Amino acid sequence: MSFRAKMITGIVLIEGLFLLAILMSSLGILSQSRKQALVTRAASDARLFATAAAHALVSDDIGALQRIVRQVLRNRGVTYAAAWDGDGRLLAHAGRNTVGAHTYQAVASVAVDKTSYGKVEIEVADRGFGPILEQAGRRIIVIALGEMLLTGLIFWIFGRYLMRQIAAIEAGTARIAQGEFGFQLPVTGGDELARMVAGFNGMSTQLKALQEEAAREHQQVLVANEQLKERIHERTEALAVANRELEYLAMHDPLTGLPNRILLQDRLLQVIRAGRREAASFALMILDIDGFKDVNDSLGHQAGDHLLQEVATRLVSRLRQSDTAVRLGGDEFAILLPGVAHGAGAEKVARKLLRTLEEPVVLGDRRVSVTASCGVALFPAHGDEVGVLLRHADRAMYEAKRGRRGFLVFTPAMDEEGDNRLRLQVDLEQAIGHGDLVLHYQPTIDLVTGKISGAEALVRWQHPVLGMLPPAQFVPLAERTHLMGPLTFYVLRLAATQARAWAEQARPLPIAVNVSAVNLDDNEFVESVGRILQDAGVASELIELEVTETALMRDPERAQAAIQALSELGVRVAIDDFGTGYSSMTYLRKLAVAKIKIDKSFVMDMGVSRNDSVIVRSIVDLGHSLGLKVVGEGVETAEAMAVLASLGCDYAQGFHLARPMDAPAFDRWRQEHA
């Protein structure tokens, strides 16, 4: 068999089998998904059937039970429904009790107040799906065979052309091996093979020239001194090229090829001098990619580098030749816009760039949408020095990112706000170091016994000028800086000390402490938690850590590992604000958590939104099915508390029960409600 036949046969077989495998696998996944959906539906219908039949079984109302059975049989796909009493007697049934390849049974117990009164059974059938699968299988085979035939034809035509060019190169190689140089092979077309033949011809010409040159050099030994001068000249030129390359590298970013901060400062200085001489204006824009750290963490630094290169290419493609795009470092870029004198003109350019960046970028097997935040400073309105313009453009960018505005032009008020944030950051760092933060505690009530089951520690800051500050005014600042770790550990130490004090008073009570996504990113977080508990001398079961569902979904694998390590340490973990992070059932089953806390937005709106009531019921059922306790947050009325209790929720927390209070007030409240 020739090389061309082997190549075509191999490619056709691989292509056809690969396509067949993909299609058959997809068909199998579809069949399995259909089966799982029917099984899940049968189980759900059985539970609903059991709930509907409970009253009839308890009251022994056979007529009502028979009506319910017939009603169940009307559901789509249900072929059989039956109900038995506690002694196993068949009380009512409807439909045909048949079992087939696409028929699934589900049985549910009928229990009231933990007393079993019988059971119900339903069968769900999907008879029309089997023929569809068989027909799909036959079509898949026909498609695969057709694809193999088409691939074979294409590669037969291509192989014929390929072998003709290779044969010509082979013949030329044989002539060179025999010492023949300078001949030319015919060049057909303009593709890669044609260029290869042209390159071969060039090599033949060069070999001929080298042959002739060698003969001449044999006769020109006396001109060695002249040749030495030429080499010295070549070295000098090479050094000059190397110097130019070093200068380029010093002024440009090696990843994107854009000018770097050094070159930007030089060009800024030039346009500032020109602007002063000619009364000309320009705009300086700083652009920062949103969520770039998430791309690096989830897809790797290689994907992050590719994203930066793509952003640089898109920026340059949308700018004028007179504009300058610069990579400042990390995910931050700067753009110099000569002649742009007003914020409106800068905004027009910024919106154009932001729209360009929003087009998805392919990173591996994912399509990632890119958003960015832009800040602009104008010369001379916002500064006439390099450092001032850079600082003001950066401040505007930060405000745009903080407010998710996309684009903002610098205003003097931003400088003041930035200074206030900086002062607040310095004050917060000192407050953590000096112990100026205090904890307030909000109780959690057991909805079955009515007794207090725990408390959540909520940090407050007694600022010497601003007064008592709630966490919303300084925790986000800590998360954006290096202070989140120290703040969390400070709160954990206070909570552990209080938990030990209550335990020593023979009134032990678990205390929950909120944890940020930033803490989960710390590889030494779990070890630090264990060390704090050991230093405080408190049992690990008296401390509970709360992590929001959104924080868990930021980096699921890292969060899962951290929670598992905390669980092994004996510290219970609760998922806070549940219902807002879109976590999956599969992921929840992997987490070693003890509780889920329903987000207060659902609990507070139960009375006015039927959807929220359904959501709360679903979360309670989900938590119990996973063996977890469920806490309802945001309980502000007696009606909300009663609804939670009726839905089987385990615990409640909110202003209706008690507002957060300091430790002495909490002790008094606890004594009054003992």
Side-chain angles (χ1 to χ4, degrees):
M1 183 181 292
S2 66
F3 171 78
R4 182 176 66 176
K6 291 179 181 178
M7 179 183 67
I8 294 173
T9 302
I11 292 175
V12 167
L13 288 175
I14 292 172
E15 185 79 6
L17 291 175
F18 183 70
L19 178 61
L20 183 61
I22 291 177
L23 294 176
M24 293 303 291
S25 175
S26 301
L27 188 62
I29 293 172
L30 176 62
S31 176
Q32 185 63 28
S33 299
R34 182 76 173 194
K35 177 180 177 181
Q36 184 61 40
L38 283 174
V39 171
T40 303
R41 180 188 161 198
S44 175
D45 287 351
R47 289 195 296 270
L48 293 174
F49 184 13
T51 302
H55 179 72
L57 279 174
V58 172
S59 60
D60 202 21
D61 188 348
I62 304 303
L65 187 61
Q66 186 62 42
R67 287 192 298 274
I68 293 172
V69 169
R70 288 195 297 271
Q71 183 65 32
V72 171
L73 195 63
R74 293 192 185 99
N75 291 343
R76 182 171 58 84
V78 177
T79 61
Y80 178 71
W84 290 265
D85 62 10
D87 297 326
R89 291 178 301 169
L90 179 63
L91 300 180
H93 70 95
R96 297 179 60 188
N97 186 3
T98 59
V99 178
H102 301 284
T103 302
Y104 306 95
Q105 294 178 331
V107 179
S109 175
V110 179
V112 178
D113 295 332
K114 300 184 179 180
T115 301
S116 177
Y117 287 90
K119 65 178 182 178
V120 296
E121 175 186 329
I122 66 169
E123 290 183 2
V124 179
D126 189 15
R127 299 188 180 91
F129 194 61
I132 293 175
L133 289 177
E134 294 176 1
Q135 185 179 11
R138 290 193 295 270
R139 289 182 177 179
I140 286 173
I141 294 174
V142 171
I143 291 172
L145 291 175
E147 193 275 346
M148 292 171 66
L149 181 61
L150 180 60
T151 303
L153 178 61
I154 292 172
F155 275 93
W156 181 81
I157 296 172
F158 171 75
R160 184 177 181 184
Y161 167 74
L162 176 66
M163 294 308 297
R164 185 168 63 249
Q165 299 282 46
I166 291 176
I169 295 175
E170 182 181 8
T173 304
R175 294 172 65 180
I176 288 178
Q178 296 174 0
E180 183 180 354
F181 306 111
F183 61 88
Q184 300 290 297
L185 298 176
V187 179
T188 304
D191 56 12
E192 290 83 353
L193 287 174
R195 290 195 294 272
M196 185 183 298
V197 173
F200 185 91
N201 290 339
M203 180 185 68
S204 175
T205 301
Q206 289 180 356
L207 288 174
K208 180 67 174 178
L210 289 173
Q211 185 183 42
E212 294 173 352
E213 184 179 356
R216 286 194 303 272
E217 287 179 350
H218 185 69
Q219 302 297 326
Q220 296 174 351
V221 178
L222 297 178
V223 297
N225 188 46
E226 197 65 31
Q227 292 177 350
L228 181 60
K229 290 181 180 180
E230 286 187 22
R231 293 181 64 184
I232 292 174
H233 177 72
E234 290 174 358
R235 293 291 180 89
T236 303
E237 286 292 326
L239 286 174
V241 170
N243 286 333
R244 289 193 294 270
E245 290 178 351
L246 288 174
E247 183 179 355
Y248 179 87
L249 292 175
M251 296 290 183
H252 290 77
D253 173 48
L255 178 64
T256 63
L258 295 179
N260 59 15
R261 183 183 294 271
I262 297 174
L263 186 54
L264 172 65
Q265 292 175 338
D266 180 69
R267 292 190 180 177
L268 274 174
L269 190 59
Q270 293 179 25
V271 294
I272 288 173
R273 290 172 178 170
R276 290 170 178 169
R277 289 194 308 268
E278 304 168 9
S281 300
F282 66 87
L284 174 64
M285 179 186 302
I286 290 185
L287 181 147
D288 186 86
I289 302 173
D290 299 330
F292 180 72
K293 183 178 183 299
D294 295 336
V295 174
N296 266 343
D297 292 344
S298 58
L299 301 181
H301 290 282
Q302 186 174 1
D305 289 347
H306 179 70
L307 176 60
L308 292 173
Q309 291 169 338
E310 180 64 22
V311 168
T313 301
R314 294 185 183 184
L315 291 178
V316 172
S317 70
R318 303 296 289 176
L319 294 175
R320 304 168 299 177
Q321 288 187 349
S322 59
D323 301 332
T324 302
V326 176
R327 184 188 177 203
L328 296 177
D331 59 349
E332 198 170 62
F333 295 82
I335 300 164
L336 184 59
L337 303 170
V340 176
H342 304 288
E347 181 174 4
K348 183 178 179 180
V349 176
R351 299 299 181 195
K352 178 175 65 175
L353 295 178
L354 292 177
R355 285 194 300 270
T356 300
L357 295 181
E358 286 174 357
E359 298 177 9
V361 179
V362 177
L363 300 177
D365 58 351
R366 298 192 186 181
R367 291 170 60 85
V368 178
S369 295
V370 180
T371 60
S373 301
C374 292
V376 168
L378 301 174
F379 172 87
H382 301 146
D384 59 357
E385 295 181 359
V386 172
V388 174
L389 287 170
L390 283 170
R391 186 176 72 253
H392 287 172
D394 187 69
R395 185 64 54 81
M397 181 276 294
Y398 174 80
E399 291 297 332
K401 182 179 288 289
R402 189 167 69 100
R404 298 183 178 180
R405 301 280 297 277
F407 168 84
L408 282 177
V409 177
F410 173 79
T411 62
M414 292 179 184
D415 233 358
E416 183 176 353
E417 291 176 7
D419 293 340
N420 290 339
R421 279 194 303 273
L422 182 59
R423 283 194 295 269
L424 192 64
Q425 177 183 338
V426 173
D427 291 347
L428 178 58
E429 188 168 9
Q430 292 177 351
I432 295 173
H434 297 162
D436 294 336
L437 303 176
V438 297
L439 294 187
H440 285 191
Y441 301 91
Q442 186 175 35
T444 302
I445 301 300
D446 190 315
L447 288 174
V448 176
T449 64
K451 296 181 179 180
I452 182 171
S453 62
E456 180 177 358
L458 301 168
V459 65
R460 301 288 188 270
W461 179 9
Q462 184 62 53
H463 194 278
V465 177
L466 303 176
M468 185 67 76
L469 299 180
Q473 294 190 21
F474 60 89
V475 170
L477 174 64
E479 287 184 317
R480 293 192 299 268
T481 62
H482 64 284
L483 297 177
M484 195 62 233
L487 175 60
T488 300
F489 295 141
Y490 177 86
V491 172
L492 185 58
R493 289 188 187 93
L494 289 181
T497 301
Q498 184 61 61
R500 186 191 64 188
W502 283 336
E504 290 174 348
Q505 297 168 11
R507 297 187 303 161
L509 189 69
I511 299 178
V513 176
N514 290 284
V515 173
S516 166
V518 177
N519 300 130
L520 297 181
D521 291 339
D522 182 2
N523 294 328
E524 299 179 356
F525 175 68
V526 176
E527 181 182 349
S528 299
V529 170
R531 186 165 54 251
I532 290 173
L533 298 185
Q534 183 179 6
D535 293 342
V538 65
S540 57
E541 60 267 18
L542 292 179
I543 294 297
E544 182 177 286
L545 299 183
E546 295 185 3
V547 187
T548 65
E549 186 182 12
T550 303
L552 292 177
M553 298 312 298
R554 174 180 169 183
D555 191 343
E557 293 183 1
R558 182 188 292 269
Q560 180 183 347
I563 291 174
Q564 181 63 40
L566 289 169
S567 177
E568 294 172 358
L569 195 64
V571 177
R572 290 177 297 181
V573 178
I575 303 178
D576 199 8
D577 299 340
F578 189 82
T580 61
Y582 307 104
S583 57
S584 66
M585 170 88 69
T586 302
Y587 180 61
L588 288 177
R589 292 176 60 186
K590 297 178 181 179
L591 295 178
V593 297
K595 293 180 184 176
I596 54 177
K597 302 186 73 173
I598 305 173
D599 185 69
K600 63 181 180 181
S601 62
F602 301 124
V603 176
M604 294 172 67
D605 293 339
M606 284 192 304
V608 296
S609 172
R610 183 177 179 276
N611 290 337
D612 285 342
S613 297
V614 173
I615 291 172
V616 171
R617 179 188 294 273
S618 301
I619 293 176
V620 171
D621 292 341
L622 172 63
H624 289 167
S625 68
L626 295 174
L628 307 177
K629 296 294 184 181
V630 183
V631 183
E633 294 185 293
V635 178
E636 298 191 353
T637 64
E639 290 79 8
M641 185 170 175
V643 172
L644 284 177
S646 68
L647 295 178
C649 188
D650 301 294
Y651 306 104
Q653 178 184 344
F655 288 173
H656 173 67
L657 301 168
R659 291 180 175 271
M661 58 197 105
D662 58 25
F666 187 90
D667 287 336
R668 290 192 297 270
W669 183 93
R670 186 178 179 186
Q671 186 173 3
E672 293 171 359
H673 293 78

